[in-house]
Amino acid sequence: MDQILYWNAVAPESDRKAHTEIDPLEPGPRGPIGRSRALAIVHLAMHDAIFSIFGAPHGTWLTAPPVAATGALPDAAIAVAAHTTLSALYPAQTARLDKALRTAGLRGRGAGRGGNQGQAVAHAILKDRAGDPGCIAVTSRYIADPPPQAGDPRSSSRACDGSGRLGSPPLYNLITREFAVAQRNDVEQNARLFALVNTALADAAILCRDDPSHPSVHAAFGGAAFQTIRRYYDVAADGPDTLTDGLGFVSGELDGSATDGHGRADLSPHIGGVRLGRDVADDLWAAGLRQDQAAGPRLP
């Protein structure tokens, strides 16, 4: 079982329940910023859980991650990191999340040590983001392009918002899963890809909130997600591209301004927040996911 894909499915379900089965004891993330923030925290925890054990040239998001015990099982670290962060973010869903952990298929030597590592990483990330002082990893505070002028064919709300069906971080995670499965990613590749995508979504939402022109957060999400996927799979940065060839669900969702007319992702039009989202993705790709390089809070 790929633990990244497993918990990537559990996390959006936690968000869905928080928004549709309102529990007075469930504060739950709210709105695009809260939703994208939660998914970024969960995926960064899984990312750092595995790479603090395996190591990788790109390192971890945490500047000084907990040191893993010898023989720590990576799958257990990923699962417990996800469970710990989700339980903190959605406390009313503890029973469901406990069941998800029990059915995650964690077996083998080092499971306890891996679980301890995942929990330590999760607590470190939750502590850092408790006050949310600024961006998560993007190094500069980008702003959106000006909105289209009246009469511009791109000025419809549909264009400015990406499309009528795009916009939610859970949906962009579903689309990212389509790419990951089609490309036959292994667990380490998925850990990196989903951490990059979800951090880009979260930072794009933060910058949209702070931008005085109030750009479309939906458009910024689209720019951030698809530019990250482009960068990850080393295809042309400005599109159009062939990434969606054969992926009916993805190309079907990418209508209107988000396609080139042939079902292919085309983010070249700089509409609303699309440029902002793309800038965020390019920044993260160049600088990596680094806690100590993130831009601070917006100045008054």
Side-chain angles (χ1 to χ4, degrees):
M1 176 189 293
D2 185 314
Q3 292 293 325
I4 301 295
L5 293 181
Y6 176 79
W7 290 97
N8 175 259
V10 173
E13 177 63 10
S14 299
D15 177 79
R16 185 195 68 78
K17 290 178 73 67
H19 284 78
T20 60
E21 301 175 15
I22 305 300
D23 186 320
L25 300 179
E26 176 68 277
R30 293 289 185 265
I33 294 177
R35 185 176 280 128
S36 58
R37 171 185 178 271
L39 288 169
I41 287 172
V42 173
H43 286 86
L44 281 174
M46 294 192 288
H47 175 277
D48 279 17
I50 187 171
F51 291 119
S52 63
I53 294 174
F54 279 159
H58 54 66
T60 57
W61 178 78
L62 287 167
T63 304
V67 177
T70 301
L73 185 68
D75 277 359
I78 293 170
V80 173
H83 174 269
T84 302
T85 48
L86 284 168
S87 297
L89 294 164
Y90 303 97
Q93 299 183 41
T94 300
R96 186 182 71 86
L97 295 168
D98 287 349
K99 181 178 179 180
L101 183 61
R102 289 194 300 271
T103 58
L106 303 178
R107 298 180 181 84
R109 296 179 60 183
R113 283 168 284 182
N116 290 339
Q117 178 66 5
Q119 187 175 63
V121 165
H123 285 316
I125 291 175
L126 287 166
K127 180 180 179 180
D128 180 85
R129 299 309 302 178
D132 280 331
C135 296
I136 294 175
V138 71
T139 65
S140 300
R141 299 190 66 84
Y142 301 99
I143 60 173
D145 284 345
Q149 298 297 312
D152 188 317
R154 299 174 301 166
S155 64
S156 69
S157 61
R158 185 177 183 80
C160 287
D161 288 339
S163 86
R165 291 176 288 172
L166 292 179
S168 82
L171 179 54
Y172 282 116
N173 274 270
L174 281 174
I175 291 173
T176 304
R177 289 173 69 91
E178 291 287 310
F179 286 111
V181 172
Q183 297 291 334
R184 300 182 180 179
N185 285 6
D186 61 26
V187 67
E188 292 177 69
Q189 291 170 322
N190 280 334
R192 187 67 175 171
L193 173 61
F194 281 94
L196 283 165
V197 167
N198 282 289
T199 302
L201 293 175
D203 278 350
I206 290 169
L207 294 178
C208 277
R209 174 198 62 189
D210 293 346
D211 194 314
S213 68
H214 303 293
S216 164
V217 70
H218 305 297
F221 281 155
F226 285 102
Q227 188 74 348
T228 300
I229 293 168
R230 276 200 175 103
R231 291 298 193 185
Y232 188 83
Y233 290 112
D234 194 27
V235 298
D238 294 322
D241 57 59
T242 59
L243 273 175
T244 60
D245 283 0
L247 300 181
F249 164 68
V250 175
S251 59
E253 289 297 329
L254 293 176
D255 60 353
S257 65
T259 65
D260 66 355
H262 301 287
R264 296 173 179 173
D266 181 5
L267 299 179
S268 55
H270 305 161
I271 302 170
V274 171
R275 167 56 68 182
L276 185 152
R278 292 183 60 185
D279 285 343
V280 168
D282 287 340
D283 181 299
L284 294 181
W285 186 250
L289 296 174
R290 309 296 300 180
Q291 175 191 30
D292 57 0
Q293 293 183 23
R298 179 173 61 90
L299 296 176

